[in-house]
Amino acid sequence: MDLSFFVVQLLSGLTMATFLFLIASGLTLIFGVGKVFNFAHGSFFMLGAYAGYQLSSVWGQSFWLSLVAGGIFAGVLGMLAEFLFLRRIYGRADEGGFQILLTYSFILIIDDLVKLVWGTEYKSLAKPAVLQGAFSFSGIVIPRYNVAVILIGLAVVVAAWWFLNRTRAGRIARASALDREMLAVLGVNVPMTMTLVFGIATALAGMTGVLAAPLRSVTPGAGIEVIIDSLIVVVLGGLGNFWGAWLAALLLGEVNSFAVVFVPKWATLFSYLVMALTLLFKPEGLFAPRKVRRV
Amino acid sequence: MGGKSLSNTTLVLLIGLAVFALVPVLKTTNYQMLLAAHVLVWGLFAVSFNMLFGVTGMLSFGQALYYGMGAYSVGLCVKYLGAAWFFPGMLLGIVLAALFAWLLGHLIIRVSGVFFTMLTLAFGQLGWQVMFKWYSFTGGDDGVQNIIPPGIFANKVVYYYLLLALVGASLWFMGRLNASPMGLILRCVRQNPERVRFLGRRVRRNQQRIYMISSLFTALAGGLMSGVDYSIHTDMFYWTTSGHVILMSILGGIGQFFGPFLGAAVIIVIEDVVGAFTEYWSLIIGLVMLGMVLGLPHGLMGGIDRLKARFAGSGARPARDGRS
């Protein structure tokens, strides 16, 4: 294996890791703050991708506008879903099970609505003109778009860190993960915080959908593919652990990227294998903040 | 759930069997009989699933693994060894599923809640990927066709009665189990595992057992299905199959033994009716699901009970499933 090939695979793995992380970080954020498991997170990713396709490919708007609008679209729908439906089951006995069931019904509904509006055929979205083509260093060819995706991912990581650690809203979000009642006593509107966090997370998923669309085409099944991959990342990272999710996404992205080269037919198995092995030997995830309650 | 006497469950079972036994006798079309057969198979699948979720509180998102295992054991045996291997294949599927569930259960029952659900999902999808990609052996997404049961069982009516007998026997067995001390322990585990452990019962051992029993009957359902449809396909392993059976259970009501069976019947009829005029039946299922989780978490059976209680006045209390 020569160097240029290695570098290209490494970067392609990094690109995939960025997508995974951007989706999983939202999932992790919601879980960390509200102990809510959003099984439909991949569907918001897909909604963003379709919104981006509509704006960019059908209405001819710029890619960057589509990126922002796709995020807002998914974010608003996410807030509505939380406000209208999820909020009603908080605190119910066996909440975890009901969350999965409720968000599973979102998946079914969103999937069919997308088919109704946009049909079942594959849609494509063009890269912005600036990011077409590739950089070339002494024989190593690196697509510009991939570099941009990785940089955007890094920017989001930094922004998220800044938000969670340096802003009042971020501190409230982190505090509500620890003690909701105390927060409510201190006069914080905890339910509204949760709705907002949900909106931020789904907006992030929607934006990622637009960002990923030029590389992986837009299909009605995208939500399901994406959710399983990002679930693996979240579980691997230790539920609710932001940095764990980042490392797990990196691990899975690279494992996948190299597996595709060496065992193309069985490459898709590796994510599951990594997850299965991790959970067998370290059920709380590779980078878990604390122990899972065992029964 | 446990409050009702065993004879009550047996009575419902006998009435149900009698009704289903009449299906081929009445002037029904082949299609209607096929529909009834689908209800029986999915009903068995749903009740087996509910032994996990409804009774024990273990939400598995990977039961399709065992359903597919049962179906593919029959299908592949017939494909490679001939029609005579139909029933040995079914037995093989059940044994394999039980063995696999025992081993896997040993490992995954250590975790609980969302982790358990995700782990079952991951293993289920692992199974699907293997069957999907191993084209030379399983036929990939083409599946296997022309799986015709041997001898007199090639006759659809005869096969239907065999199906009815096996489903009836399985439901009876699970009903007995549900009413047994083990069933009681499992319901206690759902409510308070710590206390069960203090009482000197092995929590994990019991969970592992019920995971194996549930998976075994799920494999039987899969094996039976291959003889109903005469074909198998990798979708049987796909996670949406697991999702489907969850929806059925929730709709019918996970708090009662026959709830999931009712849910299976309703969903199959909805699919059939809605499928006739729109391909967007999963939208309808999703909306129904949403309404059920929010408004009627005890399912149709729970709703019926509540109505009964209202008419009976304060004398009869609605069946509780430990959630309320």
Side-chain angles (χ1 to χ4, degrees):
Chain A
M1 189 167 63
D2 63 294
L3 182 69
S4 87
F5 174 78
F6 184 79
V7 171
V8 169
Q9 281 316 117
L10 206 65
L11 266 168
S12 132
L14 208 54
T15 312
M16 185 178 170
T18 305
F19 290 140
L20 282 176
F21 171 71
L22 287 177
I23 303 159
S25 61
L27 210 54
T28 296
L29 188 65
I30 309 173
F31 193 85
V33 173
K35 293 282 167 283
V36 173
F37 205 84
N38 181 21
F39 206 5
H41 210 65
S43 302
F44 290 100
F45 165 92
M46 180 180 68
L47 281 171
Y50 272 102
Y53 158 80
Q54 184 70 28
L55 271 169
S56 179
S57 302
V58 181
W59 292 341
Q61 300 298 316
S62 87
F63 179 85
W64 305 109
L65 179 72
S66 311
L67 189 64
V68 175
I72 293 173
F73 181 64
V76 168
L77 287 176
M79 279 178 22
L80 275 176
E82 198 276 345
F83 187 78
L84 293 176
F85 305 116
L86 264 170
R87 183 176 280 198
R88 288 163 193 257
I89 61 164
Y90 293 159
R92 197 187 265 180
D94 250 354
E95 193 186 325
F98 278 107
Q99 279 170 7
I100 290 180
L101 298 168
L102 193 63
T103 45
Y104 179 48
S105 75
F106 293 168
I107 297 180
L108 293 174
I109 293 167
I110 294 173
D111 256 21
D112 261 14
L113 285 180
V114 161
K115 282 182 201 162
L116 266 168
V117 176
W118 284 287
T120 50
E121 62 273 15
Y122 283 50
K123 307 287 183 198
S124 61
L125 208 160
K127 294 170 192 171
V130 210
L131 297 179
Q132 276 163 3
F135 301 112
S136 177
F137 305 99
S138 54
I140 304 173
V141 179
I142 300 163
R144 287 181 186 205
Y145 193 75
N146 290 37
V147 175
V149 167
I150 294 163
L151 290 178
I152 290 172
L154 280 176
V156 171
V157 175
V158 173
W161 179 86
W162 178 80
F163 171 76
L164 285 174
N165 291 287
R166 290 283 183 269
T167 65
R168 185 179 145 77
R171 288 200 191 100
I172 290 174
R174 281 194 302 151
S176 69
L178 296 174
D179 194 337
R180 285 167 164 235
E181 277 177 25
M182 182 55 78
L183 212 56
V185 170
L186 291 173
V188 173
N189 187 343
V190 177
M192 198 43 86
T193 309
M194 194 54 221
T195 307
L196 277 173
V197 165
F198 210 84
I200 292 170
T202 49
L204 208 56
M207 201 193 76
T208 313
V210 184
L211 205 59
L215 292 182
R216 49 191 298 174
S217 75
V218 187
T219 72
I224 285 171
E225 286 167 29
V226 160
I227 189 63
I228 294 183
D229 282 346
S230 48
L231 280 173
I232 294 176
V233 167
V234 170
V235 172
L236 214 58
L239 283 176
N241 183 346
F242 200 74
W243 303 110
W246 191 66
L247 289 169
L250 203 62
L251 176 69
L252 276 183
E254 294 301 344
V255 164
N256 266 300
S257 172
F258 283 95
V260 166
V261 178
F262 295 114
V263 272
K265 198 177 166 191
W266 302 102
T268 40
L269 291 184
F270 279 79
S271 306
Y272 300 112
L273 284 177
V274 170
M275 179 190 183
L277 288 174
T278 304
L279 280 163
L280 295 181
F281 296 107
K282 215 167 175 297
E284 63 274 25
L286 283 177
F287 315 101
R290 62 183 171 280
K291 286 237 163 225
V292 178
R293 192 172 62 93
R294 290 179 175 216
V295 173
Chain B
M1 175 158 52
K4 299 212 164 179
S5 65
L6 173 68
S7 62
N8 214 340
T9 309
T10 314
L11 191 70
V12 175
L13 182 61
L14 287 175
I15 294 171
L17 286 176
V19 171
F20 274 94
L22 282 176
V23 169
V25 182
L26 298 170
K27 286 225 171 286
T28 46
T29 58
N30 267 341
Y31 178 71
Q32 283 161 334
M33 200 171 79
L34 185 72
L35 211 60
H38 277 185
V39 169
L40 284 171
V41 171
W42 278 101
L44 174 60
F45 189 176
V47 171
S48 322
F49 165 77
N50 198 44
M51 293 300 285
L52 269 184
F53 182 42
V55 178
T56 322
M58 298 154 78
L59 176 53
S60 166
F61 226 112
Q63 290 311 94
L65 181 64
Y66 302 105
Y67 183 67
M69 222 180 243
Y72 268 71
S73 292
V74 173
L76 293 175
C77 273
V78 170
K79 182 181 173 185
Y80 290 109
L81 302 168
W85 283 81
F86 186 92
F87 291 109
M90 197 178 286
L91 198 65
L92 179 73
I94 293 168
V95 172
L96 275 181
L99 207 67
F100 198 79
W102 178 256
L103 290 173
L104 191 59
H106 201 76
L107 300 168
I108 64 175
I109 277 157
R110 296 184 304 170
V111 295
S112 59
V114 182
F115 290 82
F116 175 78
T117 304
M118 288 307 127
L119 204 45
T120 53
L121 178 66
F123 276 106
Q125 282 301 92
L126 193 60
W128 172 71
Q129 290 273 0
V130 170
M131 300 315 273
F132 191 82
K133 302 269 172 157
W134 198 358
Y135 197 93
S136 55
F137 182 55
T138 64
D141 51 347
D142 292 341
V144 179
Q145 277 79 39
N146 294 320
I147 304 165
I148 296 166
I152 52 164
F153 296 106
N155 181 308
K156 294 218 171 201
V157 176
V158 175
Y159 188 79
Y160 178 86
Y161 280 112
L162 174 76
L163 175 69
L164 184 64
L166 288 175
V167 170
S170 307
L171 292 181
W172 177 80
F173 179 84
M174 283 190 276
R176 286 296 299 268
L177 188 69
N178 192 28
S180 72
M182 186 186 167
L184 187 65
I185 292 169
L186 289 170
R187 280 192 293 280
C188 294
V189 167
R190 180 202 173 111
Q191 292 186 19
N192 195 336
E194 299 276 306
R195 196 167 290 176
V196 172
R197 196 174 296 119
F198 289 155
L199 289 172
R201 297 290 179 175
R202 293 172 179 223
V203 170
R204 273 192 219 163
R205 177 67 59 84
N206 278 295
Q207 285 177 322
Q208 192 179 353
R209 255 181 219 156
I210 197 68
Y211 183 71
M212 185 183 78
I213 292 168
S214 164
S215 304
L216 175 163
F217 282 108
T218 299
L220 174 64
L224 288 169
M225 188 58 117
S226 66
V228 172
D229 282 350
Y230 289 180
S231 70
I232 51 172
H233 45 89
T234 40
D235 276 2
M236 291 173 122
F237 277 98
Y238 200 51
W239 72 289
T240 48
T241 301
S242 305
H244 214 55
V245 83
I246 295 175
L247 298 190
M248 289 172 172
S249 306
I250 288 287
L251 180 69
I254 55 171
Q256 289 182 46
F257 185 72
F258 286 109
F261 196 96
L262 179 70
V266 171
I267 288 215
I268 283 170
V269 172
I270 290 180
E271 268 175 25
D272 188 57
V273 174
V274 177
F277 62 88
T278 171
E279 59 182 300
Y280 299 106
W281 59 265
S282 80
L283 175 67
I284 311 286
I285 300 276
L287 289 171
V288 170
M289 183 72 205
L290 188 72
M292 296 302 294
V293 173
L294 291 178
L296 212 56
H298 300 266
L300 293 176
M301 283 295 219
I304 292 170
D305 261 30
R306 215 181 292 170
L307 277 179
K308 262 199 266 175
R310 188 168 296 170
F311 284 118
S314 56
R317 287 178 45 208
R320 295 169 59 115
D321 67 354
R323 290 173 175 282
S324 43

